[in-house]
Amino acid sequence: MVLGALAAVLVVHTAAHGTGVGDAAYLIGNTGAAALGWWALGTVDRARRGAWRLIVVGVTANALAEWAWQVHTWTAGEPPTVSTADVFWIVSYLALFAGLLQLLHGGSSERRDIDGLIDMAVMGIVAVLLVWPYAIETVFADDTVSRGVQAVWVSYPILDSILFGLVLRALASRRARTETSALLGLGAIAWLGADFAYMFVASAPSYSVWLDNGWIVGAVLIGASVWQRADRQPLDERAPERVGVGRIALGFLPLLVPAGLETWYFTHGDEINPWPLLVATAALLALGFARSLRLARAHDRARAELELRERYYETLSRHASDAVLVLDGRGHIRHVSPSPTAVFGDSTQASGFVHPDDLELALQTFAQAIEHPGLVFECEVRARPNGDGVSWYAARIISLLHDPNVEGVVVNLHDVTERKVLSAELEHRAFHDALTGLANRALLRDRVEHAAERAERTGGGLALVYLDLDRFKLVNDTLGHDAGDEVLREIARRLRRVVRRSDTVARLGGDEFAILVEDSRHARREAEHMAERIVEILRTPVRVIGRDVTMSASIGIASDLESPAASLLRHADVAMYRAKDAGDGVPVLYDPSMRGGVAERFELETDIFGVVERNELRLVYQPVVALETGALVGFEALVRWDHPGRGTIGPDTFIPIAEANGSIVPIGQWVLREACRTASHWQRAYPEARGMAITVNVSARQLAHPDFVDDVERTLAETGLAAGSLVLEMTETVLVRDAVTTAQRLRVLHDLGVGLAIDDFGTGYSSLSYLRQFPVDILKIDRSFVSGITGAEFPAILRGLLDLGRTLQLETIAEGVETEQERDRLRAEGCGFAQGFLFATPLDAAEAELLLVELEPGVLPWRRARESRPA
């Protein structure tokens, strides 16, 4: 589009030259060049925009000058001698100078800037000499005009000469040889060509139209050069420059110009003033000397820098850990860096330091490098043993035999011994248990696969013994994890003593171990005997932190007679769980009929995720009554799972699964929210029930969750239930896990007003310290103690629990009360509250709400007891 517009302007100006239309076309061409420059300036990045803005200012000042000159001509009827137009033209020169200098020298070193200025000064002086007799000397000789007019007229050839020097310097620069700079250079040449032609042919009107066209083309090309396409490189893009013959000639050939002009004038009989030639010669000599001096100094600096770099790299090489060798095509050492000479000694053959076991690999890699010049080949080899252990080296080999600067095969050797040692250690850790040093699950699985392949080839057998320590969790909870780790290490040592050398003992995680019996035609029988020996060795107590801990294990056995090798571990696991369910300490041999129970458990483990989102959970409520009055004082919320395929599943079945896989947290959150919402509804509907409490069970994982306290606070706020109406119930096992953190969280809940109850007290590791350490309000007595009430007998342990509650000012609630005799005896012994089938089975929400109408609600006075307890 720009070229089309330019062509149209040139055609119109040429056809209508000397008329108003032709003058208008000339002005449109120059004005369009300025507009094009300002539009294109938006495509220039900020870093270079300043230089290009100056160039656009120069084109714009030229357009303003043309308008000023033309308007004066139209109004005065003749061209002006000197006018405002000359100010704009001089400004255009100055702006172009500044822009070109920024583009040429922006970001360059000081040396290159000064050298460039010297070159431009030389070329400017030459240009002034060439135009002196025609455009400068004749002006000063004209007495018809004033000195001011002479100064303005003379400034143009001088400015043109300076611009000519700038353009030649740009064209000589390799960094400026881009599409953008080509447009700028062509525009400047067209502009200067018209200027210089005007100096010599100004008296020939027939050439005037072509001069005008030259000025138009120059302005448009300069304006178009501002446009920066994405695929263009800018004018000041730094490219390496070399001082060649042309650059050297540029410094000395101009010295011949004064002599050449003098010869020209002499042969043509012209008499000229010698002073300009003498001054120009002196200036050129000074500039040439300065340039030569700078070249000499630059050469000295480059040589000093080169020597410094050589010493620098030699020092680095001497102290570097890497070795660099240059070999010939037969592997003989031609050069080796100073630092690793001790590795090679006096050997002249590179293969002399390679370990014999890795020599074939090294020679093969070297041959590949020779066959494919320029490509890098890598390998890792060991050095010959030298008494300090095995050293590993990573070798990078590239053949540069074709490169005249090297003419050899370059080998870079990097010591990777430490990495190799670390890798071997990491590999050991990846396949061994860090605590016991036994094989881990990954290594055991690999051993099983290889043993199965050998058994198939040799007709041998294999079997797997899988054992899980019983009640090991209690060791961690009561004695601490350090004691638990010591127990595991001792069990590992004992297992190693009962196996054969060919067997594999592995720790699968936690308190689970496995033993692979292989290379035996009677593998199953061997495994059964081994299981018996394991039972025997576990009977000896483990001494840890001054206490004797007696361990037992549930053991499952699977052999290749019952299952394929790929399923051996899974089947042994199934047999172990069957032994754990039996609980008699007898090892169990896997039978295919066991798969049904495992499949059912696996299905529940899979289905339990998402039960909250699928609305498969519901709550039932078991009443808590005051034994003295029979008043209803609260409900315990119990969760049920309405499985779409298996019907209603009780908490004893799915809660342990949820606790194990972590889904207990969202389930517990749902239970808490639903129970509080229901209790809040009852209290609003039945004002007399406002003192009643709702009890919610809390699991270990829930209490350990960092957001548990926030969940309780948020649930109370959202449902509107008072904190005093909520009782959180937990077992002793929950309390002893991370006792410090648990105590802190329970204290926060206690301060909120939430009641805290211990469930099944007396059935686990009961300790009075727990009751004093934690802010407990309620003691719930397990059904196993209540069922011991028969006839006139009242269990002593039950009486002791009731006495303990009174001593510590705790409310006591007896669970599982099913007979009137149990109720009456508990009431007579001072038990305050009870729950069980005697009063009601767990009820759904609607049925529980009917009790609020039929029974007289009472108050569970745990808050009064807590408030009166000594601090």
Side-chain angles (χ1 to χ4, degrees):
M1 184 174 64
V2 174
L3 292 177
L6 175 61
V9 168
L10 294 177
V11 169
V12 172
H13 178 67
T14 302
H17 185 259
T19 67
V21 175
D23 294 340
Y26 180 78
L27 293 175
I28 289 173
N30 285 278
T31 305
L36 176 62
W38 286 110
W39 172 82
L41 193 62
T43 65
V44 182
D45 61 79
R46 292 181 181 273
R48 303 181 179 91
R49 192 170 294 175
W52 288 105
R53 185 182 289 112
L54 288 172
I55 291 175
V56 175
V57 169
V59 176
T60 305
N62 175 72
L64 293 174
E66 298 291 354
W67 274 98
W69 189 89
Q70 191 63 57
V71 169
H72 185 281
T73 301
W74 284 340
T75 56
E78 61 180 358
T81 303
V82 174
S83 67
T84 307
D86 295 287
V87 175
F88 286 117
W89 271 318
I90 293 173
V91 169
S92 71
Y93 277 108
L94 297 179
L96 285 174
F97 294 163
L100 280 171
L101 285 173
Q102 282 195 30
L103 289 176
L104 283 172
H105 303 150
S108 64
S109 66
E110 180 185 358
R111 185 187 66 80
R112 287 185 175 179
D113 286 346
I114 296 176
D115 290 343
L117 290 175
I118 292 175
D119 291 342
M120 287 182 281
V122 168
M123 289 180 283
I125 291 173
V126 170
V128 170
L129 283 178
L130 293 176
V131 301
W132 179 274
Y134 303 101
I136 298 177
E137 190 174 34
T138 55
V139 171
F140 285 128
D142 189 356
D143 296 332
T144 61
V145 294
S146 66
R147 292 298 183 186
V149 173
Q150 288 178 348
V152 172
W153 287 0
V154 167
S155 67
Y156 287 114
I158 295 175
L159 292 173
D160 281 331
S161 299
I162 296 173
L163 182 60
F164 175 72
L166 272 172
V167 172
L168 285 185
R169 176 68 179 90
L171 294 178
S173 172
R174 292 181 59 188
R175 296 188 301 275
R177 295 174 189 174
T178 63
E179 183 179 347
T180 297
S181 59
L183 288 175
L184 183 61
L186 289 175
I189 290 173
W191 203 341
L192 289 172
D195 279 356
F196 285 126
Y198 178 77
M199 298 178 193
F200 298 105
V201 297
S203 59
S206 59
Y207 292 106
S208 178
V209 62
W210 303 111
L211 299 180
D212 290 346
N213 288 342
W215 283 315
I216 294 174
V217 171
V220 171
L221 289 179
I222 293 174
S225 69
V226 180
W227 180 39
Q228 304 287 314
R229 278 208 325 259
D231 57 344
R232 284 181 181 171
Q233 293 189 4
L235 182 65
D236 65 342
E237 186 72 23
R238 306 304 297 168
E241 292 193 65
R242 298 177 62 183
V243 180
V245 175
R247 293 288 301 278
I248 296 176
L250 191 62
F252 291 97
L253 289 180
L255 295 174
L256 301 176
V257 173
L261 289 176
E262 179 65 28
T263 302
W264 171 269
Y265 295 143
F266 177 77
T267 56
H268 287 74
D270 296 333
E271 294 185 3
I272 62 171
N273 186 357
W275 285 107
L277 295 177
L278 292 176
V279 172
T281 301
L284 291 175
L285 283 173
L287 292 173
F289 176 78
R291 182 62 186 276
S292 300
L293 182 62
R294 289 186 58 79
L295 286 175
R297 290 180 176 178
H299 176 267
D300 292 340
R301 284 196 301 269
R303 184 167 185 172
E305 183 178 355
L306 179 61
E307 293 176 352
L308 177 63
R309 287 183 176 273
E310 288 179 351
R311 292 194 299 271
Y312 174 76
Y313 286 116
E314 183 180 356
T315 303
L316 287 182
S317 178
R318 184 178 296 109
H319 295 89
S321 60
D322 288 7
V324 179
L325 295 82
V326 179
L327 313 178
D328 62 15
R330 294 178 296 174
H332 292 106
I333 300 176
R334 292 176 46 196
H335 170 76
V336 61
S337 56
S339 61
T341 52
V343 176
F344 305 100
D346 299 329
S347 176
T348 59
Q349 190 74 19
S351 59
F353 92 102
V354 180
H355 193 284
D357 293 344
D358 296 335
L359 184 57
E360 182 179 354
L361 173 62
L363 293 176
Q364 181 181 359
T365 308
F366 182 80
Q368 290 176 332
I370 294 292
E371 186 177 352
H372 301 88
L375 297 182
V376 176
F377 292 86
E378 299 180 353
C379 65
E380 291 185 353
V381 296
R382 288 166 292 178
R384 282 185 176 274
N386 57 4
D388 296 331
V390 177
S391 298
W392 281 87
Y393 287 89
R396 300 179 76 253
I397 307 174
I398 181 173
S399 174
L400 298 179
L401 291 169
H402 60 287
D403 188 336
N405 297 314
V406 180
E407 294 183 344
V409 180
V410 180
V411 181
N412 182 282
L413 295 175
H414 179 67
D415 191 337
V416 293
T417 305
E418 185 176 353
R419 175 171 64 80
K420 280 291 187 177
V421 172
L422 179 60
S423 177
E425 182 179 350
L426 291 177
E427 183 178 357
H428 181 271
R429 291 184 180 183
F431 291 103
H432 290 82
D433 175 54
L435 178 65
T436 63
L438 299 177
N440 61 11
R441 184 182 294 271
L443 182 56
L444 178 66
R445 189 180 299 276
D446 183 71
R447 295 277 177 86
V448 168
E449 293 176 356
H450 285 81
E453 294 176 359
R454 282 197 302 272
E456 185 176 356
R457 292 195 309 267
T458 63
L462 71 156
L464 192 69
V465 180
Y466 197 117
L467 63 144
D468 179 270
L469 301 180
D470 299 327
R471 299 183 303 279
F472 175 75
K473 182 175 179 298
L474 294 178
V475 176
N476 278 336
D477 292 341
T478 57
L479 302 181
H481 289 278
D482 290 341
D485 290 346
E486 181 56 37
V487 169
L488 292 175
R489 283 191 287 265
E490 175 59 25
I491 297 300
R493 286 191 288 267
R494 295 184 184 185
L495 292 178
R496 286 194 185 99
R497 290 199 297 266
V498 301
V499 301
R500 303 171 305 162
R501 185 181 297 273
S502 60
D503 298 332
T504 300
V505 185
R507 180 184 175 217
L508 304 181
D511 57 352
E512 295 181 348
F513 296 84
I515 301 173
L516 174 63
V517 180
E518 55 178 316
D519 296 336
S520 174
R521 294 185 180 275
H522 307 287
R524 184 176 69 178
R525 187 187 310 166
E526 186 69 32
E528 291 173 345
H529 292 161
M530 185 176 295
E532 294 173 359
R533 294 196 296 272
I534 292 172
V535 173
E536 185 65 27
I537 64 171
L538 290 180
R539 288 175 181 167
T540 303
V542 178
R543 188 72 176 174
V544 58
I545 61 172
R547 299 182 59 177
D548 289 333
V549 178
T550 302
M551 302 300 300
S552 62
S554 300
I555 302 176
I557 303 171
S559 72
D560 58 336
L561 300 179
E562 290 85 16
S563 57
S567 305
L568 199 63
L569 187 59
R570 183 171 67 251
H571 291 170
D573 188 21
V574 171
M576 183 273 295
Y577 273 106
R578 181 59 60 91
K580 185 177 290 290
D581 292 339
D584 53 10
V586 177
V588 173
L589 186 65
Y590 173 78
D591 183 271
S593 61
M594 299 177 182
R595 297 185 60 182
V598 176
E600 179 181 351
R601 179 182 176 88
F602 177 76
E603 181 181 353
L604 292 180
E605 289 177 347
T606 304
D607 293 346
I608 200 168
F609 290 102
V611 290
V612 175
E613 292 76 6
R614 297 193 301 268
N615 296 318
E616 295 177 0
L617 298 178
R618 63 182 174 87
L619 291 184
V620 294
Y621 302 87
Q622 186 167 39
V624 179
V625 299
L627 290 176
E628 186 66 31
T629 64
L632 178 65
V633 296
F635 290 94
E636 180 179 359
L638 303 171
V639 66
R640 301 289 186 267
W641 180 8
D642 291 330
H643 192 282
R646 299 183 179 276
T648 301
I649 302 175
D652 291 343
T653 301
F654 73 86
I655 289 298
I657 297 176
E659 181 78 11
N661 61 24
S663 60
I664 189 65
V665 175
I667 291 175
Q669 291 172 340
W670 180 87
V671 171
L672 177 66
R673 186 171 59 254
E674 183 67 14
C676 291
R677 185 190 62 78
T678 302
S680 178
H681 163 70
W682 288 342
Q683 290 184 356
R684 290 194 303 271
Y686 307 96
E688 63 275 11
R690 289 177 181 172
M692 295 176 52
I694 187 73
T695 300
V696 177
N697 289 277
V698 176
S699 72
R701 281 215 180 203
Q702 282 181 270
L703 191 57
H705 197 280
D707 297 332
F708 177 70
V709 175
D710 293 338
D711 288 341
V712 174
E713 292 181 341
R714 184 168 51 253
T715 300
L716 292 174
E718 292 175 353
T719 61
L721 183 69
S725 297
L726 175 63
V727 177
L728 297 180
E729 181 179 309
M730 60 213 76
T731 64
E732 296 170 83
T733 305
V734 173
L735 297 180
V736 300
R737 294 182 60 177
D738 194 1
V740 176
T741 302
T742 300
Q744 292 174 348
R745 291 177 181 169
L746 293 182
R747 180 62 61 184
V748 174
L749 294 170
H750 177 270
D751 294 341
L752 288 175
V754 175
L756 303 175
I758 294 183
D759 189 19
D760 300 337
F761 186 79
T763 61
Y765 284 81
S766 302
S767 173
L768 293 179
S769 64
Y770 297 151
L771 298 181
R772 293 190 178 277
Q773 182 180 359
F774 301 108
V776 179
D777 301 295
I778 301 170
L779 200 63
K780 301 193 73 173
I781 301 174
D782 186 71
R783 163 65 187 165
S784 61
F785 300 116
V786 174
S787 62
I789 301 174
T790 59
E793 295 292 334
F794 192 83
I797 188 171
L798 181 54
R799 182 177 287 110
L801 291 175
L802 294 174
D803 290 340
L804 179 63
R806 283 189 292 269
T807 302
L808 297 177
Q809 299 184 19
L810 302 177
E811 295 297 332
T812 52
I813 301 177
E815 295 183 296
V817 178
E818 298 182 355
T819 67
E820 293 180 357
Q821 181 185 31
E822 293 171 349
R823 177 197 63 190
D824 296 341
R825 292 302 303 276
L826 286 167
R827 181 171 54 200
E829 293 292 335
C831 183
F833 305 92
Q835 63 185 89
F837 289 173
L838 175 64
F839 309 106
T841 59
L843 309 171
D844 61 27
E847 294 172 333
E849 190 171 353
L850 291 177
L851 290 182
L852 299 177
V853 179
E854 297 174 356
L855 299 178
E856 179 183 355
V859 178
L860 180 63
W862 60 268
R863 278 183 292 180
R864 291 198 300 272
R866 187 183 68 189
E867 291 169 358
S868 62
R869 186 186 313 156

